[in-house]
Amino acid sequence: TLYALSKVFGENYGRYCYDRYGLECLVIRICTAFPPGSPRDARNHLDRDDLCRLVDCGIDTPDLGFRVIYGISDNPNPFFVNEPDPGLAWRPQFSSRAFTNIDADGPIDTSDAVNRFVGGGFTLPHQ
């Protein structure tokens, strides 16, 4: 989709700017940036305070270079797990467990494209 294309372009442009001009870049793949409304959202949730601390870590990291990290809080059954990165010094502090209205262990309907594809609802064709 055009959504996916924009994501690939942005990450690759960041890499180009680092390789060509030495402009350091932290790519944050924000998973779900709003309060969870489904088990899928609960697995991918990124708390705003975790995001703010991640941005601060990127700004404060000397010799950042070019890095890619999933912006995801400490949720049960996450779709994505970051590799340990002691140089960035960021660890999520929050979890979707705080949202008692959603069961992160609940079933996910994979017949629904929103649940099947990484981009969720952004992968759906325009009507």
Side-chain angles (χ1 to χ4, degrees), residues 59-74:
I59 291 169
D60 294 339
T61 298
D63 300 319
L64 177 67
F66 176 84
R67 299 185 194 210
V68 178
I69 189 166
Y70 288 102
I72 190 167
S73 292
D74 183 24

Side-chain angles (χ1 to χ4, degrees), residues 24 26 52-62 64 88 90:
E24 295 181 321
L26 175 62
C52 290
R53 285 185 318 90
L54 178 54
V55 170
D56 285 344
C57 284
I59 291 169
D60 294 339
T61 298
L64 177 67
L88 193 57
W90 177 77

Side-chain angles (χ1 to χ4, degrees), residues 10-87:
E11 288 187 19
N12 283 304
Y13 185 66
R15 182 67 206 209
Y16 167 79
C17 288
Y18 176 68
D19 290 343
R20 178 77 190 245
Y21 304 108
L23 180 64
E24 295 181 321
C25 181
L26 175 62
V27 173
I28 303 172
R29 294 177 176 167
I30 298 172
C31 294
T32 300
F34 45 83
S38 70
R40 178 192 192 277
D41 294 345
R43 288 176 171 103
N44 293 324
H45 176 67
L46 174 61
D47 183 87
R48 74 174 78 184
D49 291 335
D50 280 340
L51 175 59
C52 290
R53 285 185 318 90
L54 178 54
V55 170
D56 285 344
C57 284
I59 291 169
D60 294 339
T61 298
D63 300 319
L64 177 67
F66 176 84
R67 299 185 194 210
V68 178
I69 189 166
Y70 288 102
I72 190 167
S73 292
D74 183 24
N75 306 319
N77 303 313
F79 282 16
F80 307 100
V81 176
N82 289 305
E83 294 296 320
D85 186 6

